[in-house]
Amino acid sequence: MLDATTRSGGTATATPPAIATQLALPVPAPVGLTTRWTRVLLSPWSRLSLLVALLAGAASTVLLFEPQRLLSDGWPPQLGGVAAAVVFGVAYGLCTVAFVPRPLLNLAAGALFGSQLGLASALAGTVLGAGIAFGLGRALGQDALRPLLRGRWLKAADGQLSRHGFRSMLAARLFPGVPFWAANYCAAVSRMKVVPFLVATALGSIPNTAAYVVAGARASAPTSPAFLIAMAAIALPGLAGAVVAWRKRHHLRRPEKALD
């Protein structure tokens, strides 16, 4: 049976319902070049490459700056007091992101500003640097690196940081052994929250930072009680950390259960 007839006596052919439905569907627009490039630039591996490039550039800049000269040349004379300590704290944080060893910066803080102001500046720089590294690692590296966590040791470390983030990071800061930058980026790749990370970093870094700052402030009197106590406070946590790591080695060898 025909669907319709014309007034002049002609006939109109019928249109099958399936074909009519297909003709009514909108045709997707082709993906533009700008959209493709945006997807490529925002892909996990592109962001990871950007992170590596930023860290390499920062490390190269620090090597040219030679931060060890702070111990011999001092701080620029244009600044003094609290203002100099604030600027030093900002520079401290940026230097830790660029892999400058914290003991060197802590010694410089004590030598430049004394025990109290040097400790405040060093702790502020520690938290600042940890926060910057955590943000960079979380935004630029987590999506690309998480699928690579397949080994038993990597899964164990990721499980500890993801499930017990605060106490794990507090232990890592209290007991030397894990490099500062490595702990930052491992926490960023895990599912650890930023607030427990920063709080654990601030609390756990106090003893070791204070020991180095006091040692730097009293370096001119190496036989003084304060300097000797500071050196003991540097050595004992390292020894304790080695003992704890040796006793916990069997737990790290056990594969962790997959996270939900």
Side-chain angles (χ1 to χ4, degrees), residues 79-215:
L79 296 175
V82 177
V86 171
V87 175
F88 180 85
V90 175
Y92 183 114
L94 296 176
C95 287
T96 58
V97 177
F99 312 114
V100 176
R102 287 182 61 249
L104 172 64
L105 298 172
N106 292 332
L107 290 172
L112 293 172
F113 306 109
S115 299
Q116 297 181 355
L117 190 57
L119 177 58
S121 179
L123 283 177
T126 297
V127 177
L128 175 63
I132 294 175
F134 186 92
L136 289 174
R138 179 61 57 87
L140 301 179
Q142 187 187 46
D143 292 340
L145 294 178
R146 280 204 65 81
L148 303 179
L149 301 178
R150 298 175 181 175
R152 289 188 301 175
W153 284 75
L154 293 176
K155 287 184 177 180
D158 176 66
Q160 285 294 321
L161 290 173
S162 298
R163 296 176 178 177
H164 314 291
F166 178 81
R167 72 184 188 187
S168 299
M169 186 54 56
L170 185 65
R173 301 306 193 195
L174 284 173
F175 300 106
V178 180
F180 183 74
W181 60 268
N184 293 338
Y185 292 111
C186 286
V189 173
S190 73
R191 293 189 175 94
M192 185 178 182
K193 303 297 183 181
V194 62
V195 174
F197 169 77
L198 293 178
V199 174
T201 296
L203 296 178
S205 300
I206 292 176
N208 184 263
T209 303
Y212 276 100
V213 169
V214 172

Side-chain angles (χ1 to χ4, degrees), residues 39-52 140 144:
R39 292 178 180 176
V40 171
L41 292 176
L42 295 180
S43 65
W45 286 104
S46 296
R47 284 181 285 153
L48 179 62
S49 301
L50 176 60
L51 175 62
V52 173
L140 301 179

